[in-house]
Amino acid sequence: MADDILFTSFKIGSLTVPNRIARSATMDYRAADDGSVTDVQVALYDSLAKGGCGLIITGFLYVSPDGRSASRQTGIDNDALIPGLHRLTDTVHAAGMTIAAQLVHGGVQIRKKTPGDLMAPSVLPSYTGVREMNDADIKLLIDSFIQAAVRAKTAGFDAVELHAAHGYLLSSFLSPVTNLRTDIYGGSTENRARIVIDIIRGIKSACGIPVMIKMNGDDGYDGRGIDADEAARIAVLLEAAGADALEISRGMIGSVRTPAEPNIETAGEGYNLAAAARIKKAVSIPVIAVGGIRDKQSAVDALSNGTCDFIAFSRPLVREPDLPNKFRAGAERAECISCNRCFNPRGLACGQVGKG
Ligand SMILES: Cc1cc2nc3c(=O)[nH]c(=O)nc-3n(C[C@H](O)[C@H](O)[C@H](O)COP(=O)(O)O)c2cc1C
């Protein structure tokens, strides 16, 4: 089978990525208590880069202390963390690969916080201890993302990715289910996208680093949230604001108490490819598809038939950090069985490896 397309280079803005394989952001629960990078994390990124992944997107990095979702999450909220982050970019660059910093504010997805500290665009009946964000909160949030992107550039990252999917704070502005505001940040598609647009523009004028956005092609709210058509409208607005690439995912964590990422366990092969194809028709910037892609052939087909420009993997690379090299050497399918046991607050690890 001709799989050459997987191993051709492609550009994201000014950045040349050596192949079409991305590691989708994967929180590793392996940072130090102060949010700084540890040796274990450097080794993880080294194995991904040496394993052949052209673009490695970090696990989500909190842009401000109040946006931290877990105790062993890595931060990018202050300059003292830059040297540690630089170790990650150095190790990836040494292997000839590229690396993007995923930036996040957890919004209502923050555990172990004092009730009342949580903030959201709107207070839904299912929330407890959450307050509606005011203008000052929004300004501060936009600035936190911009400052984090400036730090990412200083730390040697090739790009940043705004986490605007899965129920974290930016996605709860985008979705009509979680954003009930009546000011300029709510209502129309343009208004709900405004905060992301303001952040993209702010980053571009502050440091010019390429900006990618991870967004939902489907919120998973049974037709009440974002679907592929609405996502395509948002995508057009983000491209006009200066976005350099879009990564298409799906699902919102439903409530403050839901423990993990969206339920991705039972979805089929390439379950976001249709949404990615819809969005790609609407924009001219690169589109990255993620979610349930396990067969090399479906990856090759998606790239060849214009569904997307990059294929991203999360769980398969937990099990096989060298999956890109294995594909190149002839492997046809990732070994990952999507059991979700890699979600482990004691440290990212495949739940199957060693089980025989
Ligand atoms: C352990 C784990 C941690 C994750 N952490 C993040 C994260 O930090 N940011 C993010 O956008 N998505 C995160 N995800 C979601 C993945 O990036 C990806 O969208 C999802 O797992 C589907 O892709 P896959 O089928 O290749 O695993 C995580 C997924 C897993 C399994």
Side-chain angles (χ1 to χ4, degrees):
M1 175 188 46
D3 56 11
D4 308 1
I5 192 164
L6 267 176
F7 302 100
T8 54
S9 67
F10 205 81
K11 285 194 98 160
I12 293 181
S14 53
L15 173 68
T16 301
V17 179
N19 61 43
R20 310 292 194 94
I21 303 176
R23 185 263 201 158
S24 198
T26 308
M27 156 69 160
D28 54 38
Y29 299 96
R30 292 195 182 274
D33 288 342
D34 64 357
S36 60
V37 168
T38 59
D39 292 347
V40 179
Q41 290 178 309
V42 177
L44 170 65
Y45 284 77
D46 188 51
S47 68
L48 289 165
K50 288 183 177 146
C53 199
L55 172 65
I56 297 168
I57 305 171
T58 65
F60 57 9
L61 309 174
Y62 56 91
V63 298
S64 61
D66 68 344
R68 187 175 189 171
S69 293
S71 53
R72 299 193 66 201
Q73 184 181 356
T74 315
I76 191 162
D77 64 315
N78 70 78
D79 290 355
L81 299 173
I82 292 174
L85 293 165
H86 222 305
R87 294 180 65 204
L88 296 185
T89 62
D90 284 345
T91 196
V92 169
H93 290 153
M97 301 304 177
T98 64
I99 178 166
Q102 192 188 54
L103 309 180
V104 75
H105 187 296
V108 296
Q109 310 303 339
I110 308 251
R111 271 160 283 159
K112 293 190 187 150
K113 291 282 286 186
T114 318
D117 282 354
L118 298 174
M119 43 179 210
S122 305
V123 178
L124 305 186
S126 58
Y127 292 169
T128 43
V130 179
R131 68 181 172 78
E132 181 176 309
M133 291 173 72
N134 59 31
D135 285 351
D137 295 322
I138 291 177
K139 256 186 119 199
L140 209 62
L141 181 72
I142 293 170
D143 196 54
S144 308
F145 273 94
I146 296 170
Q147 293 314 316
V150 170
R151 277 182 213 109
K153 186 162 189 193
T154 308
F157 285 97
D158 301 295
V160 293
E161 180 180 75
L162 308 179
H163 193 351
H166 303 173
Y168 297 94
L169 191 47
L170 295 182
S171 62
S172 56
F173 273 89
L174 290 179
S175 177
V177 172
T178 46
N179 183 347
L180 310 175
R181 298 177 77 92
T182 52
D183 65 0
I184 58 163
Y185 291 101
S188 65
T189 307
E190 287 80 359
N191 279 359
R192 283 182 278 112
R194 187 180 304 277
I195 195 162
V196 182
I197 289 170
D198 287 354
I199 292 169
I200 296 168
R201 291 203 176 120
I203 292 174
K204 287 291 175 179
S205 80
C207 68
I209 193 168
V211 181
M212 316 190 295
I213 293 94
K214 186 167 183 176
M215 58 181 283
N216 285 338
D218 181 344
D219 278 346
Y221 282 131
D222 296 329
R224 291 176 300 124
I226 292 170
D227 59 12
D229 287 336
E230 168 77 339
R233 284 190 286 275
I234 294 171
V236 169
L237 296 170
L238 302 185
E239 177 177 33
D244 295 284
L246 302 170
E247 182 180 3
I248 309 308
S249 186
R250 83 159 55 198
M252 301 280 273
I253 302 173
S255 81
V256 183
R257 277 171 289 280
T258 306
E261 296 280 331
N263 184 355
I264 43 187
E265 189 171 346
T266 52
E269 174 75 27
Y271 54 83
N272 294 318
L273 288 172
R278 169 73 189 87
I279 291 160
K280 187 165 161 59
K281 283 206 181 82
V283 295
S284 50
I285 50 176
V287 169
I288 305 167
V290 66
I293 302 160
R294 304 289 178 266
D295 273 322
K296 181 165 71 174
Q297 185 68 56
S298 65
V300 169
D301 289 349
L303 294 171
S304 313
N305 67 22
T307 293
C308 58
D309 304 292
F310 289 90
I311 299 291
F313 301 95
S314 169
R315 292 167 290 176
L317 291 166
V318 179
R319 182 158 186 168
E320 301 168 274
D322 58 346
L323 181 62
N325 287 348
K326 286 182 172 172
F327 276 159
R328 194 165 207 165
E332 294 296 337
R333 188 173 164 81
E335 288 173 12
C336 174
I337 58 166
S338 308
C339 71
N340 283 350
R341 288 179 55 193
C342 48
F343 275 118
N344 186 347
R346 282 171 297 155
L348 181 74
C350 179
Q352 303 299 326
V353 165
K355 286 181 76 181

PDB file of all heavy atoms in Angstrom, residues 13 24 85 87 109 142-143 152 189 213 223 236 243 255 293 302 338:
ATOM      1  N   GLY A  13       1.034  27.570   8.794  1.00  0.00           N
ATOM      2  CA  GLY A  13       1.552  28.941   8.801  1.00  0.00           C
ATOM      3  C   GLY A  13       2.984  28.928   8.308  1.00  0.00           C
ATOM      4  O   GLY A  13       3.301  28.319   7.273  1.00  0.00           O
ATOM      5  N   SER A  24      -1.832  14.177  19.371  1.00  0.00           N
ATOM      6  CA  SER A  24      -2.846  15.057  19.944  1.00  0.00           C
ATOM      7  C   SER A  24      -2.529  15.279  21.418  1.00  0.00           C
ATOM      8  O   SER A  24      -1.948  14.407  22.076  1.00  0.00           O
ATOM      9  CB  SER A  24      -4.223  14.404  19.796  1.00  0.00           C
ATOM     10  OG  SER A  24      -5.240  15.353  19.946  1.00  0.00           O
ATOM     11  N   LEU A  85      10.127  24.027  30.347  1.00  0.00           N
ATOM     12  CA  LEU A  85       9.430  23.848  29.067  1.00  0.00           C
ATOM     13  C   LEU A  85      10.436  23.808  27.917  1.00  0.00           C
ATOM     14  O   LEU A  85      10.262  23.077  26.941  1.00  0.00           O
ATOM     15  CB  LEU A  85       8.400  24.973  28.865  1.00  0.00           C
ATOM     16  CG  LEU A  85       7.216  24.929  29.852  1.00  0.00           C
ATOM     17  CD1 LEU A  85       6.452  26.257  29.844  1.00  0.00           C
ATOM     18  CD2 LEU A  85       6.270  23.775  29.507  1.00  0.00           C
ATOM     19  N   ARG A  87      13.275  22.487  27.966  1.00  0.00           N
ATOM     20  CA  ARG A  87      13.840  21.132  27.863  1.00  0.00           C
ATOM     21  C   ARG A  87      12.987  20.274  26.930  1.00  0.00           C
ATOM     22  O   ARG A  87      13.508  19.436  26.192  1.00  0.00           O
ATOM     23  CB  ARG A  87      13.922  20.482  29.248  1.00  0.00           C
ATOM     24  CG  ARG A  87      14.901  21.173  30.187  1.00  0.00           C
ATOM     25  CD  ARG A  87      14.908  20.464  31.541  1.00  0.00           C
ATOM     26  NE  ARG A  87      15.407  19.105  31.445  1.00  0.00           N
ATOM     27  CZ  ARG A  87      15.105  18.131  32.314  1.00  0.00           C
ATOM     28  NH1 ARG A  87      14.289  18.371  33.339  1.00  0.00           N
ATOM     29  NH2 ARG A  87      15.624  16.928  32.173  1.00  0.00           N
ATOM     30  N   GLN A 109     -14.050  22.792  34.811  1.00  0.00           N
ATOM     31  CA  GLN A 109     -13.393  21.476  34.933  1.00  0.00           C
ATOM     32  C   GLN A 109     -12.167  21.581  35.839  1.00  0.00           C
ATOM     33  O   GLN A 109     -11.040  21.268  35.445  1.00  0.00           O
ATOM     34  CB  GLN A 109     -12.983  20.943  33.561  1.00  0.00           C
ATOM     35  CG  GLN A 109     -14.067  20.980  32.522  1.00  0.00           C
ATOM     36  CD  GLN A 109     -15.317  20.230  32.937  1.00  0.00           C
ATOM     37  OE1 GLN A 109     -15.278  19.364  33.805  1.00  0.00           O
ATOM     38  NE2 GLN A 109     -16.434  20.583  32.335  1.00  0.00           N
ATOM     39  N   ILE A 142      -8.259  36.609  28.533  1.00  0.00           N
ATOM     40  CA  ILE A 142      -7.650  36.831  27.212  1.00  0.00           C
ATOM     41  C   ILE A 142      -6.162  37.128  27.399  1.00  0.00           C
ATOM     42  O   ILE A 142      -5.303  36.560  26.717  1.00  0.00           O
ATOM     43  CB  ILE A 142      -8.371  37.990  26.470  1.00  0.00           C
ATOM     44  CG1 ILE A 142      -9.802  37.569  26.127  1.00  0.00           C
ATOM     45  CG2 ILE A 142      -7.596  38.421  25.218  1.00  0.00           C
ATOM     46  CD1 ILE A 142     -10.692  38.691  25.612  1.00  0.00           C
ATOM     47  N   ASP A 143      -5.871  37.984  28.371  1.00  0.00           N
ATOM     48  CA  ASP A 143      -4.475  38.355  28.603  1.00  0.00           C
ATOM     49  C   ASP A 143      -3.651  37.142  29.070  1.00  0.00           C
ATOM     50  O   ASP A 143      -2.487  36.993  28.674  1.00  0.00           O
ATOM     51  CB  ASP A 143      -4.407  39.497  29.622  1.00  0.00           C
ATOM     52  CG  ASP A 143      -3.048  40.142  29.587  1.00  0.00           C
ATOM     53  OD1 ASP A 143      -2.627  40.557  28.491  1.00  0.00           O
ATOM     54  OD2 ASP A 143      -2.378  40.183  30.645  1.00  0.00           O
ATOM     55  N   ALA A 152       5.457  30.612  25.603  1.00  0.00           N
ATOM     56  CA  ALA A 152       5.674  29.429  24.751  1.00  0.00           C
ATOM     57  C   ALA A 152       6.718  29.751  23.692  1.00  0.00           C
ATOM     58  O   ALA A 152       7.612  28.947  23.420  1.00  0.00           O
ATOM     59  CB  ALA A 152       4.357  29.000  24.104  1.00  0.00           C
ATOM     60  N   THR A 189     -23.230  33.259  16.567  1.00  0.00           N
ATOM     61  CA  THR A 189     -21.979  32.508  16.389  1.00  0.00           C
ATOM     62  C   THR A 189     -20.778  33.441  16.556  1.00  0.00           C
ATOM     63  O   THR A 189     -19.800  33.102  17.231  1.00  0.00           O
ATOM     64  CB  THR A 189     -21.939  31.885  14.970  1.00  0.00           C
ATOM     65  OG1 THR A 189     -23.133  31.143  14.777  1.00  0.00           O
ATOM     66  CG2 THR A 189     -20.735  30.984  14.783  1.00  0.00           C
ATOM     67  N   ILE A 213      -6.133  25.842  16.765  1.00  0.00           N
ATOM     68  CA  ILE A 213      -7.264  25.766  17.708  1.00  0.00           C
ATOM     69  C   ILE A 213      -7.833  24.363  17.672  1.00  0.00           C
ATOM     70  O   ILE A 213      -8.142  23.832  16.601  1.00  0.00           O
ATOM     71  CB  ILE A 213      -8.391  26.785  17.364  1.00  0.00           C
ATOM     72  CG1 ILE A 213      -7.898  28.217  17.583  1.00  0.00           C
ATOM     73  CG2 ILE A 213      -9.618  26.582  18.261  1.00  0.00           C
ATOM     74  CD1 ILE A 213      -7.373  28.868  16.401  1.00  0.00           C
ATOM     75  N   GLY A 223     -27.742  17.533  19.248  1.00  0.00           N
ATOM     76  CA  GLY A 223     -28.270  18.549  18.334  1.00  0.00           C
ATOM     77  C   GLY A 223     -28.447  19.932  18.946  1.00  0.00           C
ATOM     78  O   GLY A 223     -28.711  20.897  18.237  1.00  0.00           O
ATOM     79  N   VAL A 236     -14.532  29.397   9.934  1.00  0.00           N
ATOM     80  CA  VAL A 236     -14.318  30.519   8.999  1.00  0.00           C
ATOM     81  C   VAL A 236     -13.936  31.782   9.779  1.00  0.00           C
ATOM     82  O   VAL A 236     -13.019  32.524   9.395  1.00  0.00           O
ATOM     83  CB  VAL A 236     -15.607  30.755   8.163  1.00  0.00           C
ATOM     84  CG1 VAL A 236     -15.529  32.067   7.391  1.00  0.00           C
ATOM     85  CG2 VAL A 236     -15.829  29.576   7.216  1.00  0.00           C
ATOM     86  N   ALA A 243      -6.067  32.355  12.581  1.00  0.00           N
ATOM     87  CA  ALA A 243      -5.704  30.978  12.982  1.00  0.00           C
ATOM     88  C   ALA A 243      -4.919  30.304  11.866  1.00  0.00           C
ATOM     89  O   ALA A 243      -5.194  30.520  10.682  1.00  0.00           O
ATOM     90  CB  ALA A 243      -6.967  30.174  13.284  1.00  0.00           C
ATOM     91  N   SER A 255     -20.633  17.849  33.187  1.00  0.00           N
ATOM     92  CA  SER A 255     -20.887  18.581  34.414  1.00  0.00           C
ATOM     93  C   SER A 255     -19.591  18.728  35.198  1.00  0.00           C
ATOM     94  O   SER A 255     -18.588  18.090  34.871  1.00  0.00           O
ATOM     95  CB  SER A 255     -21.905  17.850  35.281  1.00  0.00           C
ATOM     96  OG  SER A 255     -21.269  16.827  35.997  1.00  0.00           O
ATOM     97  N   ILE A 293      -8.669   7.006  15.270  1.00  0.00           N
ATOM     98  CA  ILE A 293      -7.991   6.556  14.042  1.00  0.00           C
ATOM     99  C   ILE A 293      -6.958   5.501  14.447  1.00  0.00           C
ATOM    100  O   ILE A 293      -6.056   5.774  15.241  1.00  0.00           O
ATOM    101  CB  ILE A 293      -7.339   7.743  13.303  1.00  0.00           C
ATOM    102  CG1 ILE A 293      -8.406   8.799  12.967  1.00  0.00           C
ATOM    103  CG2 ILE A 293      -6.628   7.259  12.035  1.00  0.00           C
ATOM    104  CD1 ILE A 293      -7.871  10.174  12.681  1.00  0.00           C
ATOM    105  N   ALA A 302      -7.798   9.352   4.422  1.00  0.00           N
ATOM    106  CA  ALA A 302      -8.277  10.685   4.843  1.00  0.00           C
ATOM    107  C   ALA A 302      -7.369  11.782   4.296  1.00  0.00           C
ATOM    108  O   ALA A 302      -7.840  12.847   3.884  1.00  0.00           O
ATOM    109  CB  ALA A 302      -8.351  10.752   6.367  1.00  0.00           C
ATOM    110  N   SER A 338      -8.428   1.323  22.769  1.00  0.00           N
ATOM    111  CA  SER A 338      -9.295   2.404  23.253  1.00  0.00           C
ATOM    112  C   SER A 338      -9.981   2.037  24.576  1.00  0.00           C
ATOM    113  O   SER A 338     -11.150   2.358  24.786  1.00  0.00           O
ATOM    114  CB  SER A 338     -10.358   2.772  22.206  1.00  0.00           C
ATOM    115  OG  SER A 338      -9.746   3.034  20.962  1.00  0.00           O
TER     116      SER A 338
END
